[in-house]
């Protein structure tokens, strides 16, 4: 294989740094100590490149600025935001990235922790038909790779490397943020936007090359608790209230067709993330997702009504429910006339590298979902990962490298006074 590009080398090195977040320890930010290690790793790279105003705070937020090219000093600052954490749904430590040449057919990438072969197939990833001859970055099968979102992190840092090596390349002042706990819905809530100083920008946390997102789900999290009454099973008649069974009854009242595995496109869903408990106490944690906020509100009410119904059946206040909004649909902000340049400039930058932009209704959210409503409008660009949140995740090297070219074209557009 030929010498590795700057972005590929950075990506592999970042993937080797374990930095999963943890949805069960959200009382602290970051939710895991490992994210501090990733934050320091990226900060050292920024320092080596000569970035300005580098700050690593106690919550593992990394922020920095990059000065404008000559003639663009008075233009608005453009921001980029990526997240440092990786998904919690699969093994994420230790990570052993590898670069493999895809020659067609089913690709074996290694074995999982139980010794079973792990493969990536064109049947589940038809995009592979267009990647014959590509180098792909994968894990060895024992963990996820972490392309979500370390590919995005590597792209931004590699862009800065290119701007340092080629100071004549046009660009406005850039504000850079690498943030923790995106995978558990933190949403960059602690990013100081005044100090960050960007007028608008982009998250880089999307899928295949050319993918662009200005629509996301609206999101809420729901916690249902059950308090039962335990007595000896031999004398339980008319006395026992089984908390775990009460939760099972509740779950059965939610429409099964509205689960993630049966939905696509603009379909919303209820997702049971976890359930635990026994006769005396049980808890179920859900997320609600829908692109239409009115439908989210209907889903919330359906769950409240289900709680009331089960309590009525049991003639006792066994179930309680708490509901919290997490983020809202990006489209409400990005489609405002003053922000439409984020869409059109992305389209032009993709075209500059010969790639047609494809707008998708993202079936999830990004840090931008919250940041946009806090006054930093930011749409979402490709990070070029496939099969995120699992051991079959992969990133095509040509796409990884092409996105650095796209970012170069994008910042050049914002160096024009007409932007």
């Amino acid at each position: 294989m030929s010498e590795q590009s700057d972005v590929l080398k950075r990506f592999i090195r970042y993937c080797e740094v374990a930095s999963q977040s943890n949805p069960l320890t959200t009382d602290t930010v970051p939710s895991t100590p490992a994210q501090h290690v990733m934050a320091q790793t990226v900060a050292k790279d920024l320092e080596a490149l000569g970035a300005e105003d580098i700050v690593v705070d106690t919550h593992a937020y990394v922020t920095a600025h990059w000065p404008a090219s000559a003639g663009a000093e008075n233009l608005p600052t453009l921001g980029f935001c990526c997240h440092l954490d990786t998904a919690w749904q699969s093994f994420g430590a230790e990570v052993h990235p590898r670069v493999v040449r895809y020659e067609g057919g089913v690709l074996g990438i290694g074995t999982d922790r139980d010794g079973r072969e792990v493969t990536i197939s064109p049947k589940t990833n038809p995009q592979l038909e267009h990647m014959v001859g590509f180098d792909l970055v994968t894990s060895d099968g024992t963990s996820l790779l972490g392309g979500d979102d370390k590919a995005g992190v590597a792209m931004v840092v590699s862009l800065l490397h290119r701007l340092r090596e080629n100071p004549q390349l046009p660009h406005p002042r850039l504000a850079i943020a690498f943030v923790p706990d995106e995978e558990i819905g933190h949403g960059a809530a602690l990013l100081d936007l005044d100090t960050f100083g960007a007028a608008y920008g982009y998250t880089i946390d999307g899928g295949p090359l050319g993918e662009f997102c200005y629509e996301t789900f609206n999101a809420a999290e729901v916690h249902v608790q059950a308090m039962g009454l335990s007595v000896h099973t031999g004398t339980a008649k008319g006395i026992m209230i089984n908390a775990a069974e009460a939760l099972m009854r509740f779950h059965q009242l939610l429409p099964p067709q509205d689960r993630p595995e049966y939905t696509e496109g603009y379909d919303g869903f209820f997702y049971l993330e976890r359930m635990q408990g026994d006769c005396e106490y049980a808890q179920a944690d859900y997320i609600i997702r829908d692109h239409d906020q009115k439908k989210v509100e209907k889903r919330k009410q359906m769950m409240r009504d289900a709680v009331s119904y089960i309590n009525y059946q049991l003639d006792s206040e066994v179930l309680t429910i708490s509901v919290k909004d997490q983020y809202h649909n990006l489209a409400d902000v990005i489609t405002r006339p003053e922000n439409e340049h984020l869409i059109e400039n992305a389209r032009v930058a993709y075209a500059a590298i010969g790639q047609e932009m494809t707008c998708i209704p993202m079936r999830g959210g990004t840090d931008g979902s919250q940041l946009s409503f806090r006054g930093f409008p930011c749409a979402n660009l490709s990070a070029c990962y496939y099969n995120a949140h699992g051991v079959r995740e992969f990133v095509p090297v040509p796409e990884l490298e092409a996105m650095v070219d796209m970012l170069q074209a994008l910042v050049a557009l914002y160096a024009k006074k007409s932007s």
Side-chain angles (χ1 to χ4, degrees), residues 67-301:
S69 60
E73 296 90 347
N74 295 324
L75 295 175
T77 298
L78 177 66
F80 291 112
C81 180
C82 305
H83 64 88
L84 299 172
D85 63 318
T86 56
W88 54 271
Q89 290 91 340
S90 184
F91 291 106
E94 299 172 344
V95 181
H96 303 284
R98 50 197 298 250
V99 180
V100 296
R101 178 63 58 90
Y102 180 60
E103 302 291 359
V106 176
L107 175 66
I109 66 171
T111 56
D112 66 16
R113 292 174 180 242
D114 295 320
R116 296 170 296 193
E117 185 181 14
V118 177
T119 61
I120 305 171
S121 170
K123 290 184 178 180
T124 53
N125 286 102
Q127 309 96 329
L128 286 172
E129 295 179 2
H130 306 291
M131 297 180 186
V132 176
F134 281 19
D135 287 331
L136 309 180
V137 186
T138 74
S139 76
D140 63 354
T142 61
S143 72
L144 52 75
L145 176 65
D148 178 8
D149 187 28
K150 290 177 179 176
V153 176
M155 291 166 186
V156 171
V157 179
S158 189
L159 170 68
L160 299 185
H161 174 265
R162 183 174 295 184
L163 296 180
R164 186 193 70 172
E165 296 299 303
N166 302 275
Q168 76 283 1
L169 294 175
H171 59 276
R173 180 174 182 259
L174 302 178
I176 310 299
F178 302 109
V179 301
D181 286 342
E182 187 271 350
E183 295 291 359
I184 57 174
H186 176 67
L190 301 180
L191 182 62
D192 184 340
L193 293 180
D194 290 335
T195 302
F196 188 58
Y200 38 68
Y202 297 88
T203 52
I204 305 174
D205 189 18
L209 181 66
E211 188 175 282
F212 181 79
C213 173
Y214 65 90
E215 296 178 272
T216 62
F217 276 142
N218 296 284
E221 61 181 7
V222 179
H223 305 286
V224 183
Q225 293 182 321
M227 300 296 295
L229 177 61
S230 177
V231 297
H232 191 287
T233 53
T235 57
K237 185 174 181 179
I239 303 173
M240 176 185 286
I241 299 176
N242 191 316
E245 287 196 5
L247 277 185
M248 291 168 61
R249 290 195 200 183
F250 168 83
H251 184 70
Q252 289 170 350
L253 292 177
L254 303 180
Q257 70 273 16
D258 283 8
R259 297 172 185 165
E261 59 266 38
Y262 304 123
T263 62
E264 62 182 353
Y266 285 97
D267 298 334
F269 58 74
F270 302 93
Y271 174 50
L272 176 60
E273 287 192 300
R274 67 188 68 83
M275 179 186 287
Q276 59 185 350
D278 50 31
C279 184
E280 286 201 329
Y281 176 80
Q283 178 168 324
D285 300 323
Y286 291 85
I287 59 173
I288 295 172
R289 298 291 187 265
D290 216 301
H291 289 90
D292 186 334
Q293 184 62 34
K294 292 181 180 179
K295 293 182 179 179
V296 171
E297 298 304 322
K298 288 182 179 179
R299 293 182 187 279
K300 292 178 186 177
Q301 191 58 48

Side-chain angles (χ1 to χ4, degrees), residues 7 11 125 127 131 134-138 145-153 155 203-212 350 353 355 380-388 392-407:
V7 67
F11 176 51
N125 286 102
Q127 309 96 329
M131 297 180 186
F134 281 19
D135 287 331
L136 309 180
V137 186
T138 74
L145 176 65
D148 178 8
D149 187 28
K150 290 177 179 176
V153 176
M155 291 166 186
T203 52
I204 305 174
D205 189 18
L209 181 66
E211 188 175 282
F212 181 79
Y350 276 122
I353 64 168
Q355 179 66 48
N380 192 42
L381 301 173
S382 309
C384 303
Y385 52 74
Y386 296 73
N387 299 340
R392 290 171 177 79
E393 184 183 16
F394 69 93
V395 173
V397 174
E399 294 193 8
L400 182 76
E401 295 170 341
M403 270 307 295
V404 182
D405 297 332
M406 185 276 186
L407 294 178

